[in-house]
Amino acid sequence: MALAIYRACNCSAKVIGALAEKGDFDGLVAYTGQSGQKVDYMFLLQSLMMNNPAGAVSLAKMIIKQTPPPIDVNTIADLFLQRNMVREATAFLLEALAGDKPEQAPLQSKLLEINLVTNPQVADAILANGTLTHYDRPRVAQMCEKAGLYMRALQHYTDLVDIKRTMANTHAIDPQALTEYFGSLSKEWALDCMKEILVANPAQNLQLVVGIAREYTDQLGSDSIIELFESQNNWQGLYLYLGGRVASSEDPNEHFKYIEAASKTNQMPEVERMTRESVFYDPERTKNFLQEAKLADARPLINVCDRYDMVGDLTQYLYQNNMLRYIEGYVQKVSPAKTPAVVGALLDAEAPEEFINNLILSVRSLLPVEQLVEEVEKRHRLKLLTPFLEHLISEGTTDPHVHNALGKIIIDTNNNPEHFLTTNPYYDSLTVGKFAEKRDPHLACVAYRRGNCDDALVECTNKNSFFKLQARYVVERSDMDLWLKVLDPDSANSENRKSLVDQVIGTALPESKNPEEVSVTVKAFMARELQAELIELLEKIVLQNSAFSNNANLQNLLILTAIKAAPLRDFVHRLDNFDGPAVAEKAIEYNLFEEAFEIYKKFNLKVQAIKVILHSMKDIPRGAEFATKADEAAVWSELGHAQLEAMVVTDKAKNAEVYEELVKYLLMVRKKQKEPRVDTELVYAYARAGQMGHLEAFIAGTHQANLQACGDRCYDEGMYEAAQVLFQHIPNYARLGSTLVKLGQFQAAVDAARKANSPRTWKEVLFACVDNKEFRLAQLCGLSIIINADELDEVSEYYQRLGYYEELIALLESGIGLERAHMGIFTELGFLYARYKPEKLMEHLKLFSAKLNIPRLIRVTEEQQHWKELTYLYMQYDEYDNAAACMMAHSPVAWEHVQFKDVSVRVSNNDVHYRSLQFYLDEHPALLVDLLNVLQSRLDHARVVDMFRKQSHLPLIKDYLVAVQKSNVPEVNEALNSLLVEEEDYVALKHSIEQYDNFDQPGLASKLEKHELIEFRRVAALLYKKNLKWRKAVELAKADKLYKDAMETTAQSGESELAEELLKYFIKINEKECFAAALYTCYDLMQPDVVLELAWANKMVDFAFPYMIQVVKEYTGKVELLMSERKDQHEEKEAQRNAYATLMPLALPAPPTGGSSNGYGPSDTMGGFQGGQFGGAGGGYPGGF
């Protein structure tokens, strides 16, 4: 109503005020536009600020939306702030700064500053919104830190010092946010910050640091994190960090450090579990650590040594540390099989025999006797095992190793060994014989003979010239292989053959009564073609009235075995008691037809005699002559059959090629005489005459023809149709397949080959199909052939020779799916891919690498120059040296960085590592450090440094040098220090020389003392101090006016003379303050009289007076201490005298009280000085001491 009245009265000022107070700013704009009134926004705004703050904010927002704004934004903001209207000013500025323009940077900074001072939560919300980006970030960071918004401060700081200072307030920072923040830091800054918060409050921040380390292990590197914890000696943190890593890590160093940290934190169950389950830690390194740690629980060490076969070291450690119960527990419960190694180590350690015997007996049958005997025997202590062995034998053991050991002891002690060797059935003859051979060869021969140890006995008897014993043994053994070996003229012992043969002929064989022994001996002599010796032997046995002279079986055997070796005809006439027919047949078998004829003739077997002449000698005229002399019907019959078999008619008919007439003649002969020869010739004649119908009818009936032979003749002479008929009738599918191939019937040939199922037939049909380009049928044949590895090469060569490699590849690709597919098929297919389809080769190698003959494929791949595939094959065949060499030699094709790293760590030849470094330097320098980090453990760091120094490329490998500096190698330290000097990084240089001191320190100090930068000269002074060259270090500090360093160095030196010189130097240059400071710093080295003299002489008493006060105080304290001790001594003596007085007899007079020297009481002069002696009127300190 008031507004309406104002409008009616045309009171513009009142209308405008009313609209403003009402908050109707749109109406206000409309009204002023209609009335033409100019609004005093400044007045309105100030009025609203007092009465309606929210309206003032709205008006301010409306004002800044006008173009141009009637009031400057800064002015409006100042109006709000002058009235301490921070909330309203914030609301206004957020609206005004919504565009986030660069020119608004001061206002953005002001907005954040006022809220950080008055209401940090609002500022935090604004920053979290991310709408403002142009404010003064360093200023805001400082104010965030003061306001307690440490996380926001960290997000804005860019200097490491500020970040580390802020991060010390971890109690007020959200751990999750802080952890995420570390992801934005570089590796070096992150490690520095982690170290800072760990040093600031280890107990509170440990879990936080561990969480950060686990989260960013990949970025920071586990080695750097481990080094961080170790540098702070924080084993609990290292244990917690690695506890979350070892389950998924395969890094040997991480597993070892986890074991070390668990040991340091007394987590014994975890140490025991890791040593038992982990397969990644370095056994030698872990063993050494556990031994140095001297843990009360030896189980972790037992786990390591037992798993990696370091039982000797384990036993020695346990014995030296008097942990005998662990030794017993190990052999009894953990690994009884390794008891021999434990016993050996205990013997080496000179352990008591009683303990060793008790240990062995506690394991008893569980331990391997053979290894135990071997270990004890190596140390010449076999006798130690006597009780144990006797105990086992008393239990009835038949273990050869037990009896071997007992036998060795008996031989060694010469306790009736021959009885043991001949009666004990359980020992191993070869083992015991070898043991006895050096002590008594005769006993060795007894053992060898008992066990039929042929080679060992022959060697022993040859070595000791026991030829008679050898001859008897060989004859008794009756073993042809042994005979052939001892009679071998090309053997190493051939020079002993004559001696052996003489003993066999002269002693062993004449003593024998066994025909088998004689027979085998004769056969052996024959086999080795000992003609003269065999004749001598036979004459001695058979012809010299021996036990075998009238033995029919032996005579048969001797004649039969002497057929080739002696004049048989002479034996035939001299011997009568042998089996003539059998010997004659054997003679015929060896083509001795005349001897066979004589034998039949001697035994009056005339029919057999003429058969020899007719069938063996093929001499029909001589047969006719013998038949005339014999004049027997059977003999004449044999002669007639032989003449008929000559078949003179048939031969003439064949020569004249009149086969029709020959058929008629043979049919006539067949009516009178049915013989196989006639039927066979008739079949052949039918074939030659082309009478296929008659041929089929004849073979379908009854006949005696040899169809196979006839079919072969037809095939050989090109009569394939006749051969087909014959082979089908037999049936002979192999020959039928060959015949059908000749006839061009390939499908039928394949069917016949399938029935024959013969590789030869399959190949014949296959080659014919390939020649005629019947590749479908050829593939059917090929699949049946290539499953035979011996035939594959021939098939492949045939295809390739004709240029059909596509068809061959198709055949082999089908073949690899067969059930009987073998390595040759996969390999041959690889050859073909390498030669004709290299694009398929790599896929084939990856799919079937386990089924390939890799060495053969390597040769072919190298010939075809497929370098990438060749590298892959080398890797599959574990030839990593060659793989690396191939990648380097053919890097454009074969090299791949990740693959090269994997290969490099498995290379066995160290020279390849250095060649690879040169290769990377030449071709891939950006990846060089990555390769070096992978090869750290395999490289000689000194050699690497020398290599890159010669080529002036040390800066390239700086990161590598930093990583390996922990090895403290002189060359690495010197190289890295020189780089840091060149880079003028004095902080890193100082850290390097403090942590790693293995380098030429005097040389570096001499170089740095002339450096143009003062910090490097300070490093030179530090090096001089480390090398106890105090005077040189002080001189450097004085030259650079580093008087504090000079004073500290002098104090550390402990040299009073050097301290006095420094005082004089300060006096000389009139540095009075430094003079006073030196007195304080080097207090213990100063002589008070010298100081007082120098101060008085140079008018510096005032500067020396603090020192003198301290000296007086120190000496006064010492005097008071002495007096206190003296007083205590006096009181103690007084107490002793009083005690003595109470013990005196009652009859004695009481002691005088005046202090007489004759009494027993204390004198007034004892127990201290009289008053006035040092005080009172006499002067000095009042009151005395």
Side-chain angles (χ1 to χ4, degrees):
M1 183 175 290
L3 181 61
I5 295 171
Y6 290 148
R7 285 180 183 272
C9 297
N10 200 20
C11 188
S12 300
K14 293 291 186 177
V15 172
I16 291 171
L19 289 172
E21 288 184 10
K22 185 181 177 184
D24 187 4
F25 300 113
D26 293 334
L28 175 65
V29 172
Y31 176 77
T32 54
Q34 293 174 0
S35 62
Q37 293 288 328
K38 188 172 183 181
V39 182
D40 187 353
Y41 285 108
M42 181 66 73
F43 173 75
L44 284 177
L45 192 60
Q46 289 175 343
S47 300
L48 288 175
M49 285 180 184
M50 291 184 292
N51 302 320
N52 186 3
V57 173
S58 300
L59 179 61
K61 291 179 179 179
M62 186 201 73
I63 292 172
I64 60 171
K65 289 180 181 178
Q66 299 182 24
T67 305
I71 305 176
D72 183 58
V73 175
N74 288 305
T75 303
I76 297 174
D78 289 340
L79 286 175
F80 280 114
L81 293 176
Q82 286 171 5
R83 289 164 175 77
N84 201 23
M85 300 171 70
V86 175
R87 186 174 63 181
E88 290 76 6
T90 301
F92 163 70
L93 288 175
L94 285 174
E95 180 73 21
L97 302 177
D100 191 26
K101 299 175 183 178
E103 59 271 15
Q104 295 173 342
L107 272 178
Q108 291 183 1
S109 300
K110 180 182 290 186
L111 171 62
L112 291 172
E113 287 175 9
I114 61 176
N115 280 284
L116 284 170
V117 172
T118 60
N119 198 346
Q121 287 74 18
V122 174
D124 185 33
I126 295 171
L127 291 172
N129 229 2
T131 56
L132 307 180
T133 59
H134 300 290
Y135 54 86
D136 185 351
R137 297 182 70 85
R139 173 63 179 163
V140 169
Q142 292 176 358
M143 296 194 69
C144 285
E145 183 180 358
K146 292 178 181 178
L149 299 178
Y150 298 113
M151 196 62 240
R152 296 297 178 193
L154 288 174
Q155 293 170 353
H156 289 76
Y157 274 133
T158 57
D159 186 57
L160 179 60
V161 175
D162 296 331
I163 293 172
K164 288 166 68 174
R165 182 187 67 250
T166 305
M167 205 170 284
N169 299 283
T170 52
H171 60 282
I173 303 176
D174 178 35
Q176 181 61 33
L178 184 58
T179 302
E180 293 175 0
Y181 172 72
F182 267 88
S184 64
L185 298 178
S186 67
K187 175 182 176 180
E188 292 76 12
W189 282 26
L191 289 171
D192 280 352
C193 292
M194 289 168 67
K195 181 178 180 181
E196 180 69 22
I197 62 178
L198 192 60
V199 171
N201 193 336
Q204 175 183 313
N205 297 334
L206 180 59
Q207 290 292 345
L208 176 63
V209 174
V210 170
I212 294 169
R214 288 179 180 174
E215 182 71 23
Y216 300 108
T217 295
D218 293 339
Q219 295 89 328
L220 303 179
S222 61
D223 290 342
S224 300
I225 295 171
I226 291 171
E227 185 178 352
L228 168 66
F229 283 115
E230 286 184 330
S231 66
Q232 300 303 312
N233 203 26
N234 197 319
W235 297 106
Q236 182 67 29
L238 184 58
Y239 172 73
L240 294 174
Y241 165 66
L242 293 177
R245 291 274 306 162
V246 292
S248 59
S249 171
E250 297 182 2
D251 186 352
N253 186 52
E254 289 187 6
H255 283 252
F256 168 74
K257 288 296 182 183
Y258 183 64
I259 292 172
E260 183 180 7
S263 300
K264 298 282 189 181
T265 55
N266 203 28
Q267 300 290 337
M268 288 302 108
E270 193 65 11
V271 178
E272 193 276 333
R273 183 190 69 81
M274 281 298 295
T275 54
R276 174 166 38 83
E277 296 179 0
S278 173
V279 296
F280 301 109
Y281 60 80
D282 182 351
E284 185 67 27
R285 186 181 180 191
T286 306
K287 180 203 72 175
N288 293 336
F289 164 72
L290 292 174
Q291 287 183 339
E292 292 170 2
K294 293 188 180 298
L295 303 178
D297 187 352
R299 286 181 299 167
L301 180 62
I302 290 174
N303 291 338
V304 175
C305 295
D306 180 60
R307 290 179 62 190
Y308 296 97
D309 200 19
M310 295 184 284
V311 179
D313 295 340
L314 169 66
T315 306
Q316 186 176 11
Y317 171 82
L318 295 177
Y319 181 74
Q320 289 176 350
N321 289 276
N322 199 28
M323 304 174 81
L324 304 184
R325 66 185 182 89
Y326 281 103
I327 298 177
E328 295 172 352
Y330 175 67
V331 299
Q332 292 169 7
K333 300 178 181 178
V334 179
S335 187
K338 294 183 180 178
T339 303
V342 174
V343 171
L346 288 173
L347 288 174
D348 291 338
E350 299 182 357
E353 289 188 3
E354 181 182 0
F355 174 71
I356 297 175
N357 269 322
N358 291 336
L359 192 67
I360 294 172
L361 290 173
S362 68
V363 183
R364 299 175 70 176
S365 59
L366 295 178
L367 62 79
V369 179
E370 183 180 10
Q371 291 92 324
L372 176 64
V373 172
E374 182 182 351
E375 291 291 337
V376 178
E377 186 178 353
K378 282 192 298 188
R379 295 162 177 83
H380 308 290
R381 301 283 294 277
L382 259 181
K383 196 173 179 180
L384 172 73
L385 299 179
T386 304
F388 168 66
L389 298 174
E390 290 177 346
H391 177 76
L392 291 180
I393 290 175
S394 68
E395 292 181 346
T397 181
T398 58
D399 186 355
H401 303 112
V402 175
H403 292 269
N404 290 347
L406 187 61
K408 291 177 181 180
I409 295 172
I410 291 173
I411 292 170
D412 211 21
T413 57
N414 197 24
N415 184 13
N416 196 8
E418 194 161 352
H419 173 74
F420 174 85
L421 296 175
T422 53
T423 59
N424 188 297
Y426 302 116
Y427 72 89
D428 180 61
S429 300
L430 185 61
T431 303
V432 176
K434 287 292 183 185
F435 180 81
E437 195 168 327
K438 296 179 182 178
R439 293 158 178 79
D440 187 344
H442 175 72
L443 293 176
C445 291
V446 172
Y448 292 148
R449 187 169 190 151
R450 172 261 189 191
N452 292 336
C453 304
D454 300 337
D455 295 338
L457 187 139
V458 170
E459 183 181 356
C460 180
T461 51
N462 284 335
K463 187 188 301 182
N464 296 282
S465 300
F466 294 168
F467 297 113
K468 183 179 291 186
L469 191 153
Q470 184 183 120
R472 287 173 175 159
Y473 174 75
V474 175
V475 169
E476 289 176 8
R477 283 281 286 126
S478 299
D479 183 90
M480 182 56 71
D481 292 335
L482 176 59
W483 271 112
L484 295 177
K485 189 176 297 182
V486 297
L487 296 178
D488 186 3
D490 298 325
S491 68
N493 297 315
S494 58
E495 67 274 5
N496 300 318
R497 188 171 73 158
K498 181 66 171 64
S499 302
L500 174 63
V501 171
D502 291 343
Q503 291 297 331
V504 170
I505 296 173
T507 304
L509 209 55
E511 291 176 354
S512 176
K513 305 298 181 184
N514 188 343
E516 180 67 21
E517 294 176 358
V518 178
S519 174
V520 174
T521 304
V522 172
K523 288 180 181 178
F525 276 50
M526 290 172 54
R528 287 304 180 192
E529 299 180 354
L530 300 173
Q531 303 290 347
E533 292 83 356
L534 182 58
I535 292 172
E536 181 182 356
L537 176 63
L538 292 173
E539 288 178 350
K540 194 173 186 67
I541 294 175
V542 179
L543 303 178
Q544 293 184 6
N545 297 319
S546 70
F548 304 107
S549 296
N550 296 318
N551 187 305
N553 292 330
L554 187 56
Q555 285 194 15
N556 287 336
L557 182 60
L558 291 179
I559 292 179
L560 290 173
T561 54
I563 283 176
K564 285 189 175 182
L568 180 59
R569 193 172 302 178
D570 184 51
F571 281 108
V572 169
H573 293 301
R574 294 179 64 180
L575 299 174
D576 297 318
N577 195 19
F578 64 91
D579 185 353
V583 173
E585 288 178 6
K586 199 68 177 177
I588 293 172
E589 184 180 332
Y590 283 93
N591 296 327
L592 299 175
F593 305 127
E594 289 293 342
E595 287 77 0
F597 175 73
E598 291 293 335
I599 293 171
Y600 284 133
K601 187 176 177 182
K602 179 176 180 176
F603 284 85
N604 201 26
L605 299 172
K606 296 177 182 179
V607 175
Q608 287 83 349
I610 196 170
K611 284 183 178 179
V612 172
I613 295 174
L614 295 175
H615 300 305
S616 300
M617 298 181 183
K618 308 292 184 184
D619 192 347
I620 294 178
R622 183 177 174 183
E625 182 182 348
F626 178 76
T628 303
K629 291 180 181 180
D631 196 20
E632 291 182 1
V635 176
W636 284 113
S637 178
E638 287 293 332
L639 179 61
H641 281 293
Q643 290 175 338
L644 182 61
E645 287 176 358
M647 295 297 288
V648 178
V649 175
T650 304
D651 292 340
K652 288 182 178 180
K654 290 178 181 177
N655 292 334
E657 295 188 356
V658 284
Y659 291 102
E660 290 83 358
E661 288 76 7
L662 180 59
V663 168
K664 295 177 183 178
Y665 168 74
L666 291 173
L667 288 173
M668 180 189 66
V669 172
R670 191 169 183 271
K671 290 177 182 178
K672 296 182 178 180
Q673 185 177 5
K674 292 185 179 180
E675 291 188 357
R677 177 72 180 274
V678 174
D679 288 356
T680 302
E681 290 298 330
L682 179 57
V683 170
Y684 179 74
Y686 276 136
R688 292 291 294 184
Q691 300 176 5
M692 294 297 112
H694 292 86
L695 173 61
E696 292 179 9
F698 177 76
I699 63 177
T702 303
H703 62 84
Q704 300 180 26
N706 187 343
L707 297 183
Q708 179 64 49
C710 200
D712 291 340
R713 287 173 66 187
C714 292
Y715 180 87
D716 293 339
E717 294 177 13
M719 295 182 291
Y720 300 121
E721 293 180 357
Q724 179 184 0
V725 172
L726 293 172
F727 289 140
Q728 279 179 338
H729 182 78
I730 293 172
N732 186 335
Y733 293 112
R735 298 294 284 163
L736 177 60
S738 303
T739 305
L740 291 171
V741 165
K742 296 294 185 181
L743 293 172
Q745 301 176 20
F746 298 111
Q747 181 63 59
V750 171
D751 295 338
R754 183 178 292 109
K755 294 177 181 178
N757 198 23
S758 164
R760 179 179 174 278
T761 306
W762 278 119
K763 283 196 295 183
E764 187 174 355
V765 176
L766 167 68
F767 295 158
C769 290
V770 171
D771 291 338
N772 290 274
K773 298 186 179 180
E774 294 284 346
F775 295 116
R776 183 185 63 81
L777 297 176
Q779 182 166 332
L780 293 176
C781 299
L783 292 175
S784 299
I785 299 174
I786 61 176
I787 57 177
N788 299 314
D790 296 337
E791 312 295 344
L792 177 60
D793 289 342
E794 184 178 356
V795 172
S796 175
E797 183 180 350
Y798 194 83
Y799 268 94
Q800 292 184 70
R801 187 167 64 247
L802 297 177
Y804 299 140
Y805 58 84
E806 290 281 357
E807 290 75 11
L808 177 58
I809 290 174
L811 169 62
L812 294 181
E813 287 178 342
S814 300
I816 61 177
L818 296 175
E819 183 178 352
R820 293 177 57 191
H822 53 81
M823 180 180 289
I825 297 176
F826 295 95
T827 305
E828 189 66 31
L829 183 57
F831 294 165
L832 296 173
Y833 283 152
R835 293 186 179 116
Y836 307 116
K837 289 191 175 182
E839 66 276 6
K840 289 189 174 183
L841 179 57
M842 180 58 83
E843 181 183 2
H844 180 68
L845 297 181
K846 291 180 177 179
L847 288 175
F848 305 111
S849 59
K851 299 181 179 180
L852 298 172
N853 186 335
I854 293 180
R856 291 185 60 199
L857 198 53
I858 283 175
R859 290 194 293 272
V860 174
T861 309
E862 187 172 8
E863 289 172 3
Q864 300 299 320
Q865 299 183 356
H866 301 312
W867 308 118
K868 188 171 184 178
E869 291 80 0
L870 179 61
T871 300
Y872 180 80
L873 286 171
Y874 279 137
M875 292 169 61
Q876 293 299 311
Y877 201 52
D878 294 342
E879 292 190 8
Y880 298 106
D881 295 32
N882 290 337
C886 182
M887 279 194 274
M888 290 188 285
H890 308 285
S891 58
V893 178
W895 176 82
E896 184 180 353
H897 178 58
V898 175
Q899 187 181 68
F900 192 87
K901 288 196 299 180
D902 293 340
V903 169
S904 297
V905 297
R906 304 182 184 183
V907 165
S908 58
N909 186 352
N910 284 336
D911 289 339
V912 176
H913 292 146
Y914 301 106
R915 284 172 51 203
S916 65
L917 295 182
Q918 186 63 50
F919 164 72
Y920 266 70
L921 179 61
D922 296 338
E923 298 192 14
H924 307 285
L927 301 174
L928 178 60
V929 173
D930 191 20
L931 178 64
L932 283 166
N933 289 332
V934 171
L935 297 178
Q936 270 189 30
S937 60
R938 310 290 296 275
L939 296 174
D940 179 355
H941 305 314
R943 181 173 175 181
V944 173
V945 169
D946 183 62
M947 172 182 174
F948 284 93
R949 177 181 282 120
K950 287 180 179 177
Q951 302 182 61
S952 302
H953 288 306
L954 275 179
L956 269 179
I957 63 168
K958 179 184 175 184
D959 291 342
Y960 160 74
L961 295 176
V962 172
V964 302
Q965 195 180 14
K966 59 188 176 186
S967 302
N968 206 17
V969 177
E971 291 79 0
V972 173
N973 293 337
E974 291 175 1
L976 183 58
N977 291 342
S978 65
L979 286 176
L980 295 174
V981 172
E982 291 177 9
E983 295 172 359
E984 297 184 349
D985 188 351
Y986 63 86
V987 175
L989 177 63
K990 185 176 180 181
H991 176 268
S992 173
I993 65 176
E994 286 178 345
Q995 296 294 324
Y996 310 105
D997 58 355
N998 192 7
F999 62 93
D1000 181 12
Q1001 297 188 18
L1004 181 60
S1006 176
K1007 177 181 177 182
L1008 294 178
E1009 67 176 302
K1010 299 175 183 177
H1011 200 282
E1012 60 184 1
L1013 297 180
I1014 189 171
E1015 289 296 338
F1016 285 97
R1017 295 198 293 275
R1018 291 186 70 185
V1019 173
L1022 175 62
L1023 286 170
Y1024 282 130
K1025 283 198 294 183
K1026 290 170 70 69
N1027 287 271
L1028 305 182
K1029 296 184 178 181
W1030 309 104
R1031 193 173 301 278
K1032 187 71 175 176
V1034 171
E1035 292 299 327
L1036 275 178
K1038 292 194 294 187
D1040 290 328
K1041 296 185 179 181
L1042 300 172
Y1043 300 134
K1044 180 180 178 182
D1045 291 356
M1047 288 183 277
E1048 290 177 351
T1049 302
T1050 303
Q1052 292 175 18
S1053 71
E1055 297 180 7
S1056 299
E1057 181 182 354
L1058 188 61
E1060 187 176 335
E1061 291 178 2
L1062 183 63
L1063 283 181
K1064 293 179 180 179
Y1065 173 76
F1066 286 145
I1067 292 171
K1068 180 180 178 181
I1069 63 174
N1070 198 28
E1071 285 288 349
K1072 298 179 180 179
E1073 291 81 0
C1074 292
F1075 176 82
L1079 291 176
Y1080 173 76
T1081 305
C1082 306
Y1083 177 81
D1084 294 333
L1085 305 179
M1086 298 298 181
Q1087 297 296 327
D1089 56 338
V1090 175
V1091 172
L1092 194 56
E1093 180 183 353
L1094 291 173
W1096 177 76
N1098 294 280
K1099 299 181 179 179
M1100 293 186 181
V1101 174
D1102 290 346
F1103 292 95
F1105 215 82
Y1107 166 78
M1108 296 307 299
I1109 293 171
Q1110 182 64 26
V1111 169
V1112 171
K1113 177 65 175 68
E1114 181 180 351
Y1115 277 85
T1116 302
K1118 289 179 180 179
V1119 172
E1120 289 177 351
L1121 179 62
L1122 287 173
M1123 292 306 300
S1124 175
E1125 291 175 355
R1126 191 174 184 87
K1127 181 179 179 182
D1128 292 343
Q1129 291 173 2
H1130 171 71
E1131 291 177 353
E1132 183 179 352
K1133 289 180 181 180
E1134 188 69 26
Q1136 290 176 355
R1137 289 185 181 182
N1138 292 337
Y1140 179 73
T1142 59
L1143 294 175
M1144 292 298 292
L1146 297 176
L1148 293 176
T1153 57
S1156 170
S1157 59
N1158 295 326
Y1160 291 91
S1163 170
D1164 291 339
T1165 60
M1166 298 184 66
F1169 296 100
Q1170 294 289 332
Q1173 188 175 355
F1174 290 96
Y1181 293 92
F1185 290 98

